Amino acid sequence: MTTTGGEMYTIMRTRIALNEAEYFLAEGQDVADLRRRIEEAMRSGGGFVEFDVAGERSVSVLISSATQVVISTSTADEGGHDDGDGGTPYGGEYDLV
């Protein structure tokens, strides 16, 4: 987190999209380890992969060779509530976008 001008700061937000569901990952979630576990599940023919998302929750997703996974990182300003929807921080009740 970087302080700029006293009150504003910038953080990096990482989003994972799994087929049609999207989640913001919790701060501190090890993205490299998550990618490794997803790749391992795909190579072994499938399996559940658990990870932490914003809102202090865990998600467990069944990963298979048919699962499309996209991991993206963006910069968020002013408290990290930059999810493209000014009224709903971090994508809403279930972090689905």
Side-chain angles (χ1 to χ4, degrees):
M1 179 176 355
T2 305
T3 302
T4 57
E7 293 182 24
M8 294 181 57
Y9 58 92
T10 301
I11 62 171
M12 298 300 290
R13 299 295 302 163
T14 303
R15 183 186 315 222
I16 185 168
L18 300 140
N19 295 338
E20 296 181 20
E22 295 185 14
Y23 305 92
F24 281 103
L25 295 179
E27 290 184 46
Q29 174 68 59
D30 186 340
V31 177
D33 178 63
L34 177 58
R35 286 179 22 189
R36 180 194 57 74
R37 291 185 291 129
I38 290 170
E39 290 171 354
E40 185 177 295
M42 285 184 175
R43 277 191 216 107
S44 68
F48 279 93
V49 174
E50 188 170 312
F51 52 92
D52 297 326
V53 298
E56 298 182 19
R57 295 180 296 122
S58 291
V59 173
S60 187
V61 178
L62 179 60
I63 300 294
S64 71
S65 61
T67 307
Q68 181 181 15
V69 179
V70 177
I71 298 174
S72 61
T73 304
S74 62
T75 302
D77 292 327
E78 298 185 60
H81 294 100
D82 184 13
D83 64 351
D85 180 0
T88 309
Y90 303 118
E93 184 178 353
Y94 296 105
D95 292 327
L96 298 175
V97 177

